[in-house]
Amino acid sequence: MKNVIVLLIMIVNSAIGFAQYAEFNFLNKTTHKWNKTNEGTVLQHYFVFENTGDTPLVINDALVSCSCTKVQFPNHPILPQQKDSILVTFDSNQKYYMQDRIIKLKANTKKDQELRIKVFVVPKED
């Protein structure tokens, strides 16, 4: 298994030298809006994608501006024409009213990919 990973990394590096890139193609929208929710609810959404590029897709990082948003992405290369998903979890605890978060995906693509989540959070009544 380790040899396969090393081989895929070598292929990815050589593909970049020949201007070949992996490419995200999201099968659903890149923005997800949940219905109005109560504060304290934990929400989840899967963003399903396909690698439509010429080389294996390797996601290196997912950047978010708030610790309320967690991202789980595949830690293995996604081969061309292969599908996979990214799970985004939003914890609405101590969040109020309109919430809008952008997730920036760092990968071996020509440009960074952004995902977005939105929800209106109804505050708890004291």
Side-chain angles (χ1 to χ4, degrees), residues 83-107:
K83 295 177 185 171
D84 214 316
S85 63
I86 297 168
L87 174 62
V88 176
T89 303
F90 175 75
D91 184 352
S92 67
N93 190 40
Q94 297 184 346
K95 302 296 178 225
Y96 316 105
Y97 308 112
M98 193 63 204
Q99 300 295 308
D100 188 348
R101 300 286 182 269
I102 294 176
I103 298 108
K104 185 177 281 193
L105 299 173
K106 298 286 191 176

Side-chain angles (χ1 to χ4, degrees), residues 44-57:
Q44 294 185 323
H45 179 72
Y46 283 94
F47 288 93
V48 179
F49 66 91
E50 180 179 8
N51 176 7
T52 56
D54 301 321
T55 188
L57 173 63

Side-chain angles (χ1 to χ4, degrees), residues 2 7 10 13 17 53 62 65 82 92 94 106 109 112 120:
K2 197 171 193 177
L7 178 62
M10 289 173 52
N13 286 338
S65 61
Q82 184 179 9
S92 67
Q94 297 184 346
K106 298 286 191 176
T109 53
D112 293 338
F120 185 90

Side-chain angles (χ1 to χ4, degrees), residues 32-80:
H32 179 73
K33 184 175 181 183
W34 285 288
N35 293 329
K36 187 185 296 187
T37 192
N38 293 320
E39 178 193 350
T41 304
V42 176
L43 303 167
Q44 294 185 323
H45 179 72
Y46 283 94
F47 288 93
V48 179
F49 66 91
E50 180 179 8
N51 176 7
T52 56
D54 301 321
T55 188
L57 173 63
V58 178
I59 303 172
N60 301 311
D61 202 2
L63 307 174
V64 294
S65 61
C66 177
S67 63
C68 62
T69 306
K70 305 288 184 208
V71 182
Q72 293 178 342
F73 54 85
N75 60 3
H76 58 274
I78 296 89
L79 299 175

Side-chain angles (χ1 to χ4, degrees), residues 24-25 29 60 119-120 125:
F24 284 106
N25 178 33
K29 297 178 181 179
N60 301 311
V119 65
F120 185 90
E125 294 184 23

